[in-house]
Amino acid sequence: MGFSPWGGVSQAFDYANVWAQQKADVHPPFYYVIIHTICSFFPGVFSKWFGLIPNLFCLPVIDILLYQIGKILFGSRARALMAAMIYGFGAMMMNMIIFIRMYAFLTVAVLALVLLFLWYFEREKDRRFWLYLYLISVIGTLIQYYFLIVLFFLCLFQGIVFLWRRKWKDVLCFLLTLTAAGVSSVLIFPAMLDHIFGSGYRGQEAWDNIVSVDNLAERIVGNVGWMARELFGGRVVMVLFFLAMGVLLFGRKGRFKRILKEISPQEYMVLCMTVCYLAVIIKIAPFRADRYIMCVGWCLIFLSMDLLHRLLCLLKKDWKYEKICVLGFLVFLGLNVSSMIVLKGELPFSYLTNRELREQLSQYKDSMAVYIYEDSWTLCNHYEDLPLFQKYMFVNYKEFPEIMEARKETGIVLYVSTSSYEGDAIVDEILSSGQRWKEAEFLCTYGMANVYYLWE
């Protein structure tokens, strides 16, 4: 077996192949360049750490960026540190770090962009601002197309501020910088236009979802459910938490107006970006999944912590500042603990339940495993099965009879990809086709496949 998802040892550092593979896929290439580079140093080796190491590298970068953003939003190092710690020890953050996809890098790009806008919000825009905006825009776009949603709403807010303040030179530089970033991104990876606006199936799904109102309520409930479970201690706890904050906030009309006046324009910018991003994601995302929320999950925590802090300051005027900070920290720490209780101590992307299934399949370790697939991306759900069996083979269903006729195994473990086929129908067809397989037993549903044992 080769060392990377894109081929064998001969393809080490072959970035043209990465570009070709991502052109056929629906994602930009930046993350896959990193994974391919790491794998190229270890030919013939398969390890989950090749995917986890980039995420672990992102972890301290995310923490530093969170702290810097917190200092600007809260005007306090202590509160910034507390907010960064709360999100850092939260279920969503930990789940993101163990998820071998590009979402940790997407979060870094979003945080860097937000920090840039916050840092320069009241400052004169110099050459470094435009350079950083260009670089972050290009890199973020090449990480994940959803970065463009964050970029659009942040730029829209900042652009309105420019127009309001009659910063015509900044408006012109803004347009030129973003145009240059867009052109550069397309020149680096031309396939993105087809992915977003053309025949890319994710792009088509997104445009179809924009004009469709089907399942909108279900989409909202599903995404709010993820936020509740991983950020606010579960649905019941989240409802009680925000209900209590609402009672305290609207209990007195003057209290609500006072808090609104104290909120800074920078906080309104982050709030608008977060709300608008979530509204778009809920509408266009192909799945109701936490992965699409991860890059703005920190915003929800930071803004909620700030609101609670302001409420406590109004309610407990005789309390010391440090006491209010610690109380707010303990409340959100309790929400983190509640989230882990709701998740039963198991992060969704840890796949701990798969261990039990692998143990169940280990009794067939002396057999050969055959994976019938059509969409090859489903194979990655079963890479860890490789050490279980004496032999392992991936075949297209059309090639299955011919390939198996030449082999001598009397029993095989058969994986049937559920993304393309009905497992029971495939097995029935194999048993009735006159091939040597006469009996079949359903073992389990695992990853993206139904698993059976076939014997003569």
Side-chain angles (χ1 to χ4, degrees):
M1 178 184 174
F3 60 87
S4 81
W6 296 285
V9 176
S10 63
Q11 293 176 326
F13 302 104
D14 181 4
Y15 297 103
N17 187 41
V18 177
W19 251 247
Q21 294 293 336
Q22 293 314 116
K23 179 181 178 181
D25 189 33
V26 291
H27 295 102
F30 183 89
Y31 174 76
Y32 301 93
V33 166
I34 293 173
I35 295 295
H36 183 75
T37 301
I38 295 173
C39 293
S40 295
F41 286 105
F42 303 93
V45 178
F46 171 79
S47 173
K48 63 186 177 184
W49 291 104
F50 298 160
L52 289 174
I53 286 173
N55 288 1
L56 293 173
F57 170 80
C58 289
L59 180 58
V61 178
I62 291 173
D63 288 336
I64 293 170
L65 292 173
L66 285 172
Y67 175 69
Q68 295 297 331
I69 289 173
K71 284 199 302 182
I72 297 174
L73 288 179
F74 306 143
S76 166
R77 293 184 178 182
R79 290 177 60 198
L81 181 60
M82 289 179 181
M85 289 176 63
I86 287 295
Y87 187 69
F89 288 109
M92 182 167 286
M93 175 70 160
M94 292 189 287
N95 201 32
M96 177 178 65
I97 295 302
I98 65 172
F99 186 34
I100 304 179
R101 290 289 296 277
M102 76 289 292
Y103 295 98
F105 280 91
L106 174 61
T107 302
V108 170
V110 169
L111 287 168
L113 184 68
V114 171
L115 179 59
L116 178 68
F117 277 86
L118 291 175
W119 180 259
Y120 277 95
F121 193 83
E122 298 295 347
R123 290 180 171 86
E124 288 296 321
K125 309 300 184 290
D126 54 21
R127 292 181 179 179
R128 289 189 301 175
F129 173 82
W130 305 116
L131 176 61
Y132 292 154
L133 177 61
Y134 168 80
L135 292 175
I136 295 171
S137 298
V138 172
I139 293 172
T141 303
L142 294 175
I143 292 174
Q144 230 286 0
Y145 297 133
Y146 286 159
F147 173 83
L148 293 171
I149 303 173
V150 173
L151 179 65
F152 173 80
F153 287 113
L154 281 176
C155 290
L156 179 62
F157 192 97
Q158 181 66 80
I160 292 173
V161 172
F162 284 155
L163 293 173
W164 180 263
R165 296 175 177 177
R166 298 186 178 184
K167 299 278 188 177
W168 309 120
K169 181 181 177 181
D170 286 342
V171 171
L172 178 60
C173 291
F174 212 37
L175 294 174
L176 290 175
T177 302
L178 294 174
T179 300
V183 171
S184 299
S185 300
V186 172
L187 290 176
I188 293 171
F189 189 61
M192 70 170 55
L193 292 177
D194 189 52
H195 287 175
I196 299 173
F197 302 107
S199 59
Y201 68 90
R202 285 288 185 244
Q204 289 179 340
E205 282 183 350
W207 291 112
D208 291 342
N209 288 336
I210 288 176
V211 299
S212 173
V213 295
D214 294 341
N215 303 321
L216 181 58
E218 184 181 346
R219 286 174 171 274
I220 295 173
V221 171
N223 283 280
V224 170
W226 280 113
M227 288 184 272
R229 284 190 291 275
E230 296 188 21
L231 294 174
F232 297 105
R235 295 188 182 185
V236 174
V237 174
M238 185 184 80
V239 169
L240 293 176
F241 173 72
F242 282 105
L243 183 62
M245 288 231 289
V247 170
L248 295 176
L249 184 61
F250 296 102
R252 292 182 183 177
K253 192 174 182 180
R255 184 183 298 157
F256 176 68
K257 289 183 176 180
R258 181 174 174 180
I259 287 182
L260 285 181
K261 289 180 180 180
E262 291 177 350
I263 296 176
S264 67
Q266 292 94 323
E267 287 180 286
Y268 276 119
M269 180 177 69
V270 174
L271 175 62
C272 290
M273 179 271 290
T274 304
V275 172
C276 292
Y277 174 86
L278 290 174
V280 173
I281 285 298
I282 289 172
K283 194 74 174 68
I284 72 171
F287 309 112
R288 293 172 291 281
D290 59 345
R291 70 186 74 171
Y292 306 124
I293 306 170
M294 289 173 174
C295 66
V296 297
W298 63 271
C299 300
L300 298 169
I301 292 296
F302 274 40
L303 294 173
S304 298
M305 289 187 72
D306 189 48
L307 177 58
L308 178 62
H309 178 85
R310 293 179 186 277
L311 282 171
L312 290 174
C313 288
L314 286 177
L315 293 170
K316 303 295 181 181
K317 296 179 181 180
D318 55 334
W319 281 18
K320 291 184 178 180
Y321 177 82
E322 293 79 5
K323 188 175 182 180
I324 292 176
C325 290
V326 171
L327 179 59
F329 176 79
L330 292 176
V331 168
F332 276 85
L333 187 62
L335 294 179
N336 280 355
V337 173
S338 179
S339 288
M340 293 306 298
I341 293 174
V342 169
L343 293 170
K344 298 179 180 179
E346 178 181 337
L347 298 172
F349 291 123
S350 64
Y351 300 113
L352 293 177
T353 55
N354 290 356
R355 294 180 182 177
E356 299 177 2
L357 294 173
R358 284 200 296 273
E359 290 177 2
Q360 178 183 343
L361 294 173
S362 63
Q363 61 182 302
Y364 301 95
K365 61 183 180 181
D366 295 330
S367 303
M368 182 178 75
V370 180
Y371 190 108
I372 292 179
Y373 72 94
E374 182 177 40
D375 297 318
S376 58
W377 65 269
T378 63
L379 274 57
C380 65
N381 290 273
H382 302 277
Y383 283 158
E384 288 193 342
D385 295 6
L386 287 172
L388 287 180
F389 304 101
Q390 201 172 56
K391 299 175 183 177
Y392 206 89
M393 179 185 297
F394 298 102
V395 300
N396 189 281
Y397 176 63
K398 296 178 181 178
E399 302 169 347
F400 177 79
E402 180 181 352
I403 292 175
M404 297 311 300
E405 190 65 30
R407 304 197 64 88
K408 301 184 183 300
E409 285 81 11
T410 58
I412 61 170
V413 176
L414 183 69
Y415 287 69
V416 181
S417 172
T418 55
S419 72
S420 305
Y421 303 110
E422 290 290 337
D424 292 343
I426 290 288
V427 171
D428 290 341
E429 185 175 343
I430 291 172
L431 296 179
S432 61
S433 64
Q435 299 179 37
R436 65 178 186 271
W437 314 112
K438 306 300 181 186
E439 301 289 341
E441 177 187 358
F442 173 76
L443 299 179
C444 61
T445 296
Y446 176 43
M448 293 293 292
N450 288 332
V451 189
Y452 305 83
Y453 183 67
L454 274 61
W455 68 95
E456 295 184 0

